[in-house]
């Protein structure tokens, strides 16, 4: 008889549940050191693998994205409006996420854990704006890669992508090579992701065994914080832009975008939701030409929900390891999370991998991700739904601006 394989999300949930059970047993039987010595190392292996793919994935996907926009000049007018809309709404999303995270943190709702066993991290140092600005520009490409300094890695990717476009025909073999290597890394990523149940089981068992039941309440709180921010962003930003820019009532917008948002909620992939988003945009009278440019681009680079999640998770994890974030670091997080969300692929769980980049940037140990890894699917459902709503909202606004421009030109 053929065995039925559980889907990955179900495997992760089972791993989470078993990990909590084992963690609680160890907590109540003084077995925390067992989890630290024999379970956590497997979680660490998983984390190491995640860290290993982050840099190549960021570089390759950003270059791919830029190269595929090669004819952006042709779509110039739609292109720049779209990009400005994406950037502004994502930055607003980061700020909203931050405000909620800081409120929760200041209200003492995020825990400070005592993870003395085996976790070593450098305290984040505060940096002023000008130093940060200078530090974004690399002096040595390989050093940036090997130290995973993500803002530098992004700048390098932008240069490489721009260089390929500028070089034109001659750079085609290089662009093809990048595409091919990207496919290879996507396969490796997919394989590593299949190992996540092991990572989830071992790490959550260790966290619960060393921290006790308190951590479970904290996870519920950080989830609540992210969802409050998701909702506020949707209501504030998308309602306003629908009303002000697209002349559509917010109710109508959400009613018609609803199916795509629900589909995104269950599929946790903006890319997989594309066909449904297209229908939603059409039902909101968005021109096919505009939506077929804006929506695929949005599904790859516009991630407001992911940006919120990354800000909330970063503040939460900083609190967990007792790092007090300075104002400068918060600004860095907003910038990095905006960029990280752009670099996030529109597939399930990608935002969590990119979170490593934000954490790196402010000196929070990437291992901390495992604390929230087990419930990532729950974050992902909400953030993907928001990501998709953001894409549709952009499409209807740009559509309206273009229509106005055409009407003016016709006069
Ligand atoms: N799942 C999200 C999306 O497809 C990306 C993420 O993981 O944040 O939009």
């Amino acid at each position: 008889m053929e065995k039925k394989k559980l889907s990955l999300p179900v495997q992760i949930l089972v791993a989470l549940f078993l990990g909590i059970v084992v963690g609680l047993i160890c907590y109540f039987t003084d077995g925390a050191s067992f989890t630290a010595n024999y379970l956590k190392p497997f979680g660490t292996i998983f984390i190491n693998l995640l860290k290993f793919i982050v840099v190549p994935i960021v570089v390759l996907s950003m270059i791919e994205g830029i190269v595929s926009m090669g004819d952006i000049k042709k779509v110039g007018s739609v292109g720049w409006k779209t990009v400005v809309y994406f950037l502004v709404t994502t930055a607003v999303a980061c700020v909203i996420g931050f405000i909620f995270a800081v409120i929760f943190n200041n209200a003492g709702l995020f825990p400070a854990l005592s993870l003395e066993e085996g976790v070593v991290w450098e305290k984040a140092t505060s940096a002023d704006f000008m130093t940060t600005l200078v530090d974004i520009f690399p002096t040595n490409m390989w050093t940036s890669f090997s130290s995973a300094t993500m803002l530098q890695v992004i700048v390098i990717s932008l240069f490489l992508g721009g260089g390929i476009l500028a070089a034109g025909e001659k750079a085609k073999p290089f662009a093809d090579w990048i595409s091919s290597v990207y496919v290879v890394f996507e396969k490796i990523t997919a394989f590593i992701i299949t190992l996540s149940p092991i990572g989830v089981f071992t790490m959550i068992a260790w966290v619960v065994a060393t921290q006790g039941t308190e951590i479970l309440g904290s996870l519920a709180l950080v989830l609540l914080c992210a969802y409050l921010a998701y909702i506020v962003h949707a209501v504030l930003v998308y309602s306003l832009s629908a009303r002000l820019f697209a002349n559509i009532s917010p109710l109508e917008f959400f009613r018609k975008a609803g199916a795509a948002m629900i589909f995104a909620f269950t599929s946790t992939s903006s890319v997989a939701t594309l066909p449904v988003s297209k229908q939603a945009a059409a039902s909101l009278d968005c021109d096919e030409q505009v939506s077929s440019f804006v929506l695929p681009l949005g599904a790859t680079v516009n991630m407001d929900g992911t940006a919120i999640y990354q800000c909330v998770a970063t503040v939460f994890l900083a609190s967990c390891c007792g790092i007090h974030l300075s104002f400068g670091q918060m600004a860095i997080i907003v910038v990095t999370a905006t960029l990280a969300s752009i670099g996030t692929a529109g597939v399930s769980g990608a935002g969590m991998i990119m979170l490593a980049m934000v954490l790196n940037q402010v000196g929070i140990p990437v291992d901390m991700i495992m604390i929230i890894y087990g419930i990532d699917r729950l974050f992902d459902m909400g953030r993907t739904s928001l990501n998709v709503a953001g894409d549709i909202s952009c499409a209807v606004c740009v559509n309206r601006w273009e229509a106005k421009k055409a009407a003016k030109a016709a006069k």
Side-chain angles (χ1 to χ4, degrees):
M1 225 175 64
E2 205 183 313
K3 270 199 210 153
K4 255 208 178 158
K5 238 186 131 201
L6 294 178
S7 69
L8 189 64
V10 176
Q11 288 179 30
I12 291 181
L13 278 183
V14 171
L16 177 69
F17 177 74
L18 290 179
I20 291 176
V21 171
V22 170
L24 285 175
I25 293 173
C26 291
Y27 177 68
F28 288 114
T29 56
D30 283 335
S33 57
F34 167 78
T35 59
N37 293 335
Y38 298 104
L39 294 183
K40 185 173 168 272
F42 291 97
T44 308
I45 293 176
F46 177 68
I47 295 284
N48 288 351
L49 292 176
L50 280 184
K51 286 188 198 164
F52 139 73
I53 45 168
V54 163
V55 171
I57 283 289
V58 171
V59 174
L60 296 166
S61 74
M62 289 211 62
I63 298 179
E64 269 275 290
I66 295 167
V67 173
S68 70
M69 287 199 302
D71 57 350
I72 193 129
K73 279 188 215 109
K74 268 193 256 156
V75 268
S77 158
V78 174
W80 77 258
K81 287 179 189 119
T82 305
V83 170
V84 169
Y85 185 94
F86 285 169
L87 279 178
V88 172
T89 50
T90 305
V92 172
C94 280
V95 173
I96 293 179
F98 230 102
I99 293 175
F100 273 93
V102 169
I103 292 175
F104 269 62
N105 199 18
N106 289 352
L109 298 175
F110 289 166
L113 306 181
S114 48
L115 296 171
E116 70 291 334
E117 296 180 60
V119 177
V120 187
W121 60 82
E122 292 154 30
K123 287 262 175 213
T125 46
S126 57
D128 68 82
F129 179 76
M130 288 322 274
T131 321
T132 310
L133 185 70
V134 172
D135 286 347
I136 288 176
F137 295 90
T139 51
N140 182 319
M141 183 156 110
W142 310 118
T143 315
S144 313
F145 288 166
S146 68
S147 62
T149 312
M150 292 321 283
L151 286 180
Q152 293 185 358
V153 170
I154 286 176
V155 168
I156 294 167
S157 315
L158 292 176
F159 274 120
L160 285 173
I164 291 177
L165 286 185
E169 230 357 77
K170 278 218 162 141
K172 187 144 189 316
F174 183 50
D176 290 344
W177 182 80
I178 294 274
S179 287
S180 156
V181 180
Y182 186 37
V183 174
V184 174
F185 269 93
E186 274 185 325
K187 293 277 176 222
I188 299 176
T189 310
F191 170 71
I192 294 174
I193 295 291
T194 61
L195 302 178
S196 35
I198 301 173
V200 167
F201 170 77
T202 50
M203 284 305 222
I204 199 76
W206 169 66
V207 169
V208 173
T210 47
Q211 302 303 318
T213 41
E214 201 185 312
I215 189 69
L216 300 177
S218 303
L219 289 180
L221 282 172
V222 67
L223 203 59
L224 173 72
C225 177
Y227 271 82
L228 285 177
Y230 293 158
I231 293 169
V232 167
H233 183 78
V235 171
L236 217 70
V237 176
Y238 305 146
S239 300
L240 270 184
S241 57
R243 162 68 67 224
L244 294 181
F245 304 132
N247 207 13
I248 298 172
S249 87
L251 269 187
E252 189 188 349
F253 174 79
F254 285 111
R255 201 162 44 81
K256 294 192 170 157
M261 289 175 72
I262 292 171
F263 190 87
F265 193 79
T266 49
S267 71
T268 62
S269 165
S270 305
V271 171
T273 312
L274 257 178
V276 196
S277 321
K278 275 199 150 186
Q279 272 176 2
S283 71
L284 286 160
D285 294 328
C286 181
D287 190 59
E288 161 93 43
Q289 266 194 339
V290 172
S291 69
S292 53
F293 172 82
V294 174
L295 294 177
L297 185 64
T300 356
V301 301
N302 184 38
M303 311 264 167
D304 296 356
T306 303
I308 290 180
Y309 155 78
Q310 284 167 345
C311 287
V312 170
T314 306
V315 175
F316 175 76
L317 296 178
S319 155
C320 284
C321 54
I323 291 178
H324 182 78
L325 296 168
S326 68
F327 194 74
Q329 283 173 320
M330 294 189 188
I332 295 174
I333 294 174
V334 169
V335 174
T336 324
T338 304
L339 294 171
S341 71
I342 292 172
T344 302
V347 294
S348 192
M352 209 261 336
I353 294 182
M354 288 309 223
L355 177 62
M357 159 174 162
V358 186
L359 298 182
N360 252 338
Q361 197 62 40
V362 280
I364 298 171
V366 175
D367 306 45
M368 302 299 289
I369 283 189
M370 289 322 286
I371 295 179
I372 50 171
Y373 196 107
I375 53 164
D376 185 63
R377 180 85 183 182
L378 300 176
F379 285 108
D380 202 0
M381 292 159 83
R383 67 184 188 240
T384 310
S385 188
L386 201 66
N387 291 346
V388 164
D391 300 339
I392 300 172
S393 138
C394 178
V396 293
C397 291
V398 172
N399 183 59
R400 172 85 178 176
W401 291 327
E402 284 301 295
K404 266 191 183 164
K405 193 173 140 196
K408 237 188 205 167
K411 262 188 209 162

